[in-house]
Amino acid sequence: MDAALHDWNLAPKEAIALQTELAQRLELKDRLDEVSLIAGVDIGFEDDGETTRAAVVLLEWDAQKAPNLAVVEQVVHREPTRMPYVPGLLSFREIPAALGAFKKLSRTPQLVMVDGQGIAHPRRLGVAAHLGLWLDLPTIGIAKSRLYGRFEEVGSERGDWSPLTAGGDTLGVVLRSRVNVKPVFVSPGHRVSVETALEWVMRCLGRTKLPEPTRLADRLASRRDEKRHGSRAAR
């Protein structure tokens, strides 16, 4: 994260062209160091969209204790929103605050799980993929709704999944993370394969719908000043 990836002051047409370019830089094969720390990221908006809020929770990975992972550090960063809402360009609104949050961490994770899309995006650059390029870290997107791609109906049992595809490519999986609860949409962001993204999400699943890193980040983000009126956009 030492060198800036690009400027944020872009018109929508410029941002769309940049997405197409950046998507070519993504690594969709595994390049992970040994994982000892996992970060969960949740990004949202407050003050009727005028403020972007990023919450990051850092967890210690212990395969023997998973999914009950110890919280090592947690931060919330807020800053003025830089870009108006444009469908498909939400990462340009969200990532500046996320980068601010990561700068506050005293330690660097080896894996990042983001509440949002990875490559399951019309131009293959959702927030998790975009953030992964900025951080040069392995990232996984875990979204609560579909943005792009097609899939067959998923079985009702925990762990059932169906491929999420578009144009003959597999973008990720639609995963039933809890029995008879709406599935989540898992896609790699950067430096992670589809198979490994699914494997890590399953390792971090507890009793709830979301894997522990993004569940805890979402919980941290919800502890905001009661005077603030938050609004969430689909990622």
Side-chain angles (χ1 to χ4, degrees), residues 96-154:
L99 296 176
F102 272 90
K103 286 180 179 178
K104 293 179 178 179
L105 293 176
S106 62
R107 301 170 69 181
T108 301
Q110 292 79 41
L111 179 63
V112 180
M113 293 188 179
V114 184
D115 181 353
Q117 309 289 350
I119 63 168
H121 179 278
R123 288 174 292 279
R124 307 295 198 270
L125 198 81
V127 62
H130 201 161
L131 182 62
L133 284 174
W134 267 96
L135 299 174
D136 190 24
L137 289 174
T139 51
I140 300 170
I142 303 100
K144 303 181 188 75
S145 60
R146 182 189 72 89
L147 174 65
Y148 185 69
R150 308 179 71 170
F151 64 96
E152 300 294 333
E153 184 64 30
V154 183

Side-chain angles (χ1 to χ4, degrees), residues 174-193:
V174 185
L175 171 67
R176 188 79 65 185
S177 55
R178 190 176 179 187
V179 176
N180 292 325
V181 172
K182 289 183 179 180
V184 294
F185 294 76
V186 177
S187 60
H190 183 47
R191 293 176 50 179
V192 177
S193 65

